[in-house]
Amino acid sequence: MIQHKSSTWFQSPILWSGAIFLCAFWYWGYDGITFSDDVYYITTGHAFWQGNDVLSDYHFSSRFGSYIFSGLMTFLFGFSDRAGSLASLFAYLVTLFLIVKIVPKKRQQFWAVIFFVTQVYLLHFLTKVYPDSLLVFWAILIPFVASYRHVHPITSSFLLVIALLMGFMTKETIVFLFPFPLFILFLDWKSKLLGKFHLYFGVLSICFSILYLGYYWWEFGDPFFRIQSVHQGHYISEYTFFDKDLSSMLWRISFSPLLTFIERGYWLWIILSIPAIFTGLKKYENIKTEFAIAICCMLAGFWWMTTSLEYYNPLYLNPRHLIILVPLLAVLIGLGASSWLDDPKTRNITVAMILVGSFLGMAIGDWKQAVFLSVFASVLWSRDIWKGTFQQAILVILLVVPAIYSARYQHQLKGYDHFKNSLEDALRSEEEVIVVNNFVEFSKEVLLPFQPEHQASLFPIERLNEFEELAPEKFTLIIYSYYKHAYPKEIPDVVDFLDLVEEMGYEVIEEKEDRWVKVFRFLEGGK
């Protein structure tokens, strides 16, 4: 059963150190929007709280949980992506509180918190408006409340249903945890611990399912409208597998996830969680077993589950999708700290598995991960050489430094504030046409909020025929160099546009260039 801790657990310096780190990263680690789906979530959330009808046949609109909280922040603090990302910060902070609450011992809490707040991709999306950031909270809440099912069966059953429902209303990847209650039922049946929890959970699940499906039946005439809209949102791309050859599919469901975990910095987290997963599955231990079952459900879902009911198409493992693994892995790493740190046999096996990731990193040319994993493994292995406190301090530094450096790297790569200043300077020139990268024009409502005239001035670089028809006497071209990193498919658009303006006889009358932005002012030849 759960070990009851003092009511002063929330005064833990470990908790508040983690919270301060997250808040500091949210403030100083901000590097702007991603010019992608976050634009939809920011604008839709704000429109929702303005009283507009945002539900449509577009499957993102049914992700209520992905935009109502960020929309509330923009409603309260003004429309901006910074305000919207307060929802992500709040979700991370509450998740942090749950980690400290559920992990019983201070040493375990220390390692759980360290590994939660230093995962690079988790931190990257702390400052963004994405459903995955909010799903971090709903994902950990599921095994968290299940751990209390024998102590508070009614409350736990209600919160578990709410967590699954709100998670599904936030993003569909929470379905990886839908089998979790069935495994818990089997576990309790085998242990002869069946009680009120499962009865209440079953009744509440049926009731809320009827309400949820009934809403779509009433609104669209189809109780399974949400499922249909998700399927209709599928399209063939380089990230789908059902349309590829058999070798591509076999690679995706076998070794590809391993390399993804290494490249995206999840390998160490997974390896260090294995001791707790193993003991939690081998013998029932409250908390450890619930989290072990949950992480196995999620890993199996990411590895093999299909995104469509009509054909088999495993999910593309975008590193953003994977951040919901982090809080569960962090808890398991903390619970298993005495094994991977103190037990010589377990530590040696763990070091060997970390080094496997390092060697694979070398094989695929990812030298940063290879070096990081090798150094971490070496320090972990050398526990008998260094004093425990000194060794642990080095391990913490190895985790914290890359996390902080990642923010600096993004700032240097993106130059977001400088780009926005360049765009605003161009708009002040009162040019009627400002040609920009396609992803910039797509994001105009967030970049230039409540400025319809300036938004109308932006012209996407891909619309060559329309530009040729428009043929302005003069215009400004702003090329945001970030497109080479984030949107390399737009490289031909830039080349084709420059060729077009040369054919049309435009001349460059002013040119500015730095590492982030190129600004050209063109005038029609001979004028």
Side-chain angles (χ1 to χ4, degrees):
M1 293 296 177
I2 287 181
Q3 301 178 30
H4 292 280
K5 295 184 285 185
S6 168
S7 60
T8 59
W9 65 271
F10 56 86
Q11 298 176 0
S12 165
I14 298 171
L15 168 66
W16 291 107
S17 297
I20 291 170
F21 183 85
L22 289 176
C23 291
F25 195 96
W26 178 85
Y27 185 79
W28 281 293
Y30 172 73
D31 65 334
I33 61 175
T34 65
F35 303 91
S36 185
D37 296 342
D38 55 338
V39 173
Y40 175 84
Y41 296 121
I42 295 167
T43 55
T44 304
H46 188 71
F48 175 85
W49 286 97
Q50 294 295 318
N52 298 321
D53 184 11
V54 298
L55 186 61
S56 67
D57 57 357
Y58 183 46
H59 71 284
F60 276 19
S61 71
S62 293
R63 293 177 175 177
F64 298 106
S66 65
Y67 56 77
I68 58 174
F69 299 109
S70 62
L72 178 60
M73 295 298 102
T74 61
F75 178 76
L76 294 175
F77 302 109
F79 180 77
S80 72
D81 61 298
R82 287 298 273 153
S85 68
L86 283 170
S88 299
L89 175 61
F90 182 75
Y92 280 31
L93 290 175
V94 177
T95 300
L96 178 66
F97 295 159
L98 295 183
I99 289 173
V100 176
K101 175 67 174 175
I102 200 69
V103 176
K105 299 178 181 179
K106 287 186 178 180
R107 188 189 189 209
Q108 295 174 338
Q109 292 174 1
F110 174 80
W111 288 110
V113 169
I114 284 293
F115 276 93
F116 175 65
V117 302
T118 57
Q119 212 290 327
V120 170
Y121 281 99
L122 184 91
L123 290 175
H124 180 68
F125 289 99
L126 167 61
T127 63
K128 309 292 186 291
V129 180
Y130 270 96
D132 310 85
S133 302
L134 303 178
L135 208 60
V136 164
F137 166 69
W138 298 118
I140 192 175
L141 186 60
I142 290 169
F144 179 92
V145 298
S147 301
Y148 287 88
R149 67 189 181 282
H150 299 303
V151 182
H152 304 290
I154 299 176
T155 303
S156 296
S157 62
F158 175 76
L159 289 177
L160 181 56
V161 171
I162 293 297
L164 288 167
L165 178 61
M166 285 301 301
F168 187 68
M169 291 172 63
T170 301
K171 193 175 181 183
E172 298 78 18
T173 43
I174 202 68
V175 299
F176 297 162
L177 283 173
F178 277 14
F180 175 78
L182 297 177
F183 285 112
I184 294 298
L185 174 64
F186 175 76
L187 175 68
D188 288 348
W189 171 78
K190 185 178 179 182
S191 305
K192 298 181 180 180
L193 292 172
L194 289 175
K196 294 180 180 179
F197 169 81
H198 297 285
L199 175 62
Y200 282 106
F201 176 77
V203 172
L204 289 170
S205 296
I206 293 172
C207 292
F208 277 95
S209 296
I210 291 173
L211 289 173
Y212 182 74
L213 297 175
Y215 169 76
Y216 283 100
W217 197 0
W218 172 71
E219 184 74 20
F220 295 100
D222 181 3
F224 302 106
F225 174 83
R226 173 79 186 279
I227 298 173
Q228 292 295 329
S229 66
V230 170
H231 177 72
Q232 291 171 4
H234 280 85
Y235 56 90
I236 294 175
S237 71
E238 67 269 35
Y239 304 125
T240 55
F241 299 93
F242 72 95
D243 57 309
K244 307 297 190 299
D245 58 30
L246 181 60
S247 61
S248 298
M249 178 67 77
L250 292 176
W251 174 250
R252 165 59 187 82
I253 62 177
S254 56
F255 296 105
S256 177
L258 290 175
L259 300 184
T260 299
F261 293 144
I262 294 167
E263 290 178 303
R264 303 307 185 179
Y266 290 91
W267 183 260
L268 179 64
W269 274 247
I270 293 172
I271 296 304
L272 293 180
S273 70
I274 289 177
I277 294 174
F278 179 78
T279 56
L281 295 179
K282 183 179 180 181
K283 179 182 178 182
Y284 179 68
E285 294 183 41
N286 185 230
I287 303 174
K288 188 180 289 185
T289 298
E290 284 81 4
F291 276 81
I293 293 172
I295 199 66
C296 287
C297 287
M298 294 181 71
L299 287 172
F302 276 119
W303 214 300
W304 296 299
M305 190 168 180
T306 180
T307 61
S308 172
L309 296 178
E310 295 190 14
Y311 44 78
Y312 183 63
N313 183 65
L315 179 69
Y316 167 66
L317 295 183
N318 185 312
R320 169 169 52 84
H321 301 157
L322 298 171
I323 66 172
I324 63 174
L325 295 170
V326 177
L328 279 71
L329 291 172
V331 168
L332 290 163
I333 291 170
L335 294 175
S338 60
S339 296
W340 57 265
L341 266 176
D342 301 331
D343 180 66
K345 182 178 179 181
T346 303
R347 185 171 68 246
N348 290 337
I349 294 173
T350 301
V351 167
M353 295 176 72
I354 295 172
L355 290 176
V356 168
S358 176
F359 294 143
L360 289 174
M362 293 180 194
I364 60 178
D366 191 338
W367 293 99
K368 289 181 180 179
Q369 281 298 324
V371 171
F372 168 73
L373 292 172
S374 295
V375 173
F376 193 97
S378 300
V379 175
L380 181 59
W381 175 78
S382 64
R383 181 170 178 78
D384 295 332
I385 300 175
W386 293 334
K387 292 183 178 181
T389 303
F390 182 64
Q391 180 214 34
Q392 292 177 41
I394 296 177
L395 293 178
V396 171
I397 292 171
L398 288 175
L399 293 169
V400 172
V401 169
I404 295 175
Y405 176 76
S406 68
R408 183 178 183 276
Y409 171 77
Q410 283 296 320
H411 279 289
Q412 294 297 315
L413 173 68
K414 206 168 180 180
Y416 181 76
D417 291 333
H418 177 71
F419 159 72
K420 283 196 69 176
N421 291 335
S422 299
L423 180 62
E424 290 168 0
D425 288 343
L427 290 167
R428 280 194 288 269
S429 69
E430 299 184 356
E431 296 275 6
E432 290 186 4
V433 179
I434 310 290
V435 180
V436 293
N437 300 90
N438 306 320
F439 65 91
V440 172
E441 194 274 339
F442 171 79
S443 309
K444 60 186 177 185
E445 292 182 69
V446 176
L447 293 170
L448 305 169
F450 311 117
Q451 302 176 53
E453 292 184 1
H454 285 165
Q455 292 176 16
S457 298
L458 300 187
F459 190 94
I461 202 169
E462 67 179 347
R463 298 180 185 172
L464 301 181
N465 293 336
E466 293 180 32
F467 182 84
E468 198 167 6
E469 293 176 4
L470 183 64
E473 181 180 337
K474 58 180 180 179
F475 70 94
T476 298
L477 170 64
I478 301 178
I479 300 177
Y480 186 18
S481 299
Y482 182 61
Y483 79 99
K484 295 178 182 177
H485 172 80
Y487 298 96
K489 287 186 177 181
E490 294 195 12
I491 293 176
D493 294 332
V494 174
V495 174
D496 292 343
F497 183 83
L498 292 174
D499 289 342
L500 175 64
V501 295
E502 184 177 356
E503 292 174 6
M504 293 177 68
Y506 283 97
E507 297 178 356
V508 178
I509 58 173
E510 185 179 347
E511 180 178 349
K512 297 179 182 178
E513 181 177 349
D514 54 50
R515 61 181 298 184
W516 295 298
V517 182
K518 295 179 181 179
V519 181
F520 303 92
R521 292 191 65 206
F522 286 91
L523 183 66
E524 193 174 357
K527 294 189 179 181

